[in-house]
Amino acid sequence: MSNPATVIAAGGVVWRERHGARQVLLVHRPRYDDWSLPKGKLTQHEHVLLAARREIEEETGVQVVLGAPLGVQRYPIRKNGATAEKLVHYWSAAAVSGSDFEPNDEVDKIDWLPVDKARSRLSYPRDVDIVDALDKVTPVEATLVLVRHAEAVKRKDWDGKDTLRPLNATGTAVAGRLSDVLAALGADRLISSDAERCTATLSPYAEAIDRKLHLWPEISERGYDADPHGLRGLRERAWRPGRVTVVCSHRPVLPALQRELGLKVGKFSPGAFLVAHRLTNGRLIYERFSAP
């Protein structure tokens, strides 16, 4: 008999600043009579970042923006009469609204607590470790999301100018799902190559938040081929303090663009993206994700 599949879940440490001190939000689960961090299982095909935000907001009534990763918990659970592994991903989650919490069978109480009191209230040492990780990833000075455009119509199947080559049906669907992911990250500044396949990757989110796309021809394939040195100086323009900036470009340009932006990552498949957080001490924390 095979072992049950790993259970994937996501959540976060919800935090806010009050009177110069940090508070974190804990949830009480009546089923277990414990105090823990908000989290929950992914739904089918749900992106892990979306699951983290959804579970936090469902359990606490607080709207959040996800920040830097805080770690992963692994522990055994009972599933279908056997033992399975549970894998829980956590992120920093800055509160951007007050609570609209209503007690229910899953979570009957929530409580904002100073960090020291929260550490004492938590029922599990593993959750204390996650709360302690929050200090290591804050404050964030700037966040950068680097995206390879979603899947486009193949060159051999397109008779027009390459810069006008559109996304295919798969790429269009990915662009729609990426919009939700960018919302979870609180993206508020959008930069794109001027090629159609790049602008179409970010357009659903730009329309959702009523923001303009900033077009940078120098990060297009055509622009980079014409002047590879045109990327110089983009680091300061891309890393904007206090902002969550998205940059969408092309596979042939990404290696040079990554070097210019101070990132060290590998290849990107269509629609894949990297989330990088620059802390005030200059340290970079980043994660890679496949297309949503």
Side-chain angles (χ1 to χ4, degrees):
M1 181 176 180
S2 61
N3 293 327
T6 299
V7 176
I8 308 297
V13 178
V14 184
W15 63 276
R16 67 184 185 186
E17 300 289 340
R18 284 293 184 272
H19 308 296
R22 180 172 297 166
Q23 297 177 336
V24 297
L25 186 60
L26 307 187
V27 299
H28 181 264
R29 301 183 299 174
R31 179 182 177 185
Y32 304 101
D33 189 23
D34 63 7
W35 286 94
S36 62
L37 302 172
K39 65 180 184 300
K41 292 182 289 187
L42 277 62
T43 61
Q44 189 174 21
H45 305 307
E46 186 176 30
H47 193 279
V48 66
L49 290 170
L50 293 183
R53 189 191 198 196
R54 175 185 57 77
E55 285 290 341
I56 289 168
E57 296 183 352
E58 286 180 358
E59 292 194 354
T60 69
V62 177
Q63 293 183 334
V64 299
V65 167
L66 300 181
L70 298 178
V72 179
Q73 293 178 350
R74 292 178 173 84
Y75 52 90
I77 60 170
R78 297 296 294 173
K79 180 182 177 184
N80 299 328
T83 299
E85 182 180 56
K86 187 169 185 177
L87 194 66
V88 189
H89 301 263
Y90 286 96
W91 284 269
S92 163
V96 295
S97 76
S99 177
D100 190 24
F101 173 72
E102 293 185 5
N104 55 72
D105 292 341
E106 186 174 356
V107 175
D108 62 346
K109 290 183 288 187
I110 63 173
D111 202 0
W112 284 104
L113 295 170
V115 173
D116 286 346
K117 290 186 177 180
R119 296 177 80 260
S120 299
R121 178 80 63 87
L122 284 165
S123 300
Y124 308 104
R126 60 176 179 258
D127 287 348
V128 175
D129 292 339
I130 296 296
V131 169
D132 287 346
L134 185 63
D135 277 341
K136 300 175 183 178
V137 300
T138 54
V140 171
E141 181 181 69
T143 297
L144 185 63
V145 183
L146 184 61
V147 185
R148 178 182 172 186
H149 66 75
E151 188 174 318
V153 172
K154 294 185 182 301
R155 296 178 196 268
K156 65 181 180 64
D157 298 329
W158 179 249
D159 294 330
K161 293 182 178 180
D162 185 65
T163 190
L164 299 178
R165 185 158 51 94
L167 300 181
N168 61 19
T170 298
T172 299
V174 165
R177 294 192 294 270
L178 179 65
S179 177
D180 293 332
V181 172
L182 296 178
L185 295 169
D188 56 5
R189 184 165 173 258
L190 305 173
I191 295 168
S192 174
S193 153
D194 59 354
E196 168 65 21
R197 53 195 181 275
C198 275
T199 61
T201 298
L202 297 188
S203 288
Y205 185 63
E207 293 170 5
I209 64 171
D210 194 24
R211 288 292 179 93
K212 177 183 177 181
L213 277 177
H214 299 277
L215 301 184
W216 286 4
E218 56 265 59
I219 66 172
S220 70
E221 289 190 63
R222 183 186 69 257
Y224 179 68
D225 286 343
D227 182 12
H229 300 299
L231 300 182
R232 291 177 180 172
L234 293 185
R235 181 181 301 204
E236 291 74 19
R237 294 168 62 191
W239 283 106
R240 190 65 61 86
R243 307 295 291 274
V244 179
T245 300
V246 184
V247 177
C248 184
S249 188
H250 308 256
R251 179 187 58 78
V253 185
L254 285 172
L257 185 56
Q258 291 168 51
R259 289 192 295 273
E260 170 60 27
L261 297 177
L263 304 174
K264 295 180 180 179
V265 293
K267 297 179 180 179
F268 282 63
S269 58
F273 62 100
L274 169 110
V275 183
H277 305 277
R278 188 171 70 189
L279 307 186
T280 53
N281 63 7
R283 186 164 72 98
L284 284 178
I285 300 173
Y286 40 102
E287 304 175 280
R288 289 191 59 174
F289 299 94
S290 57

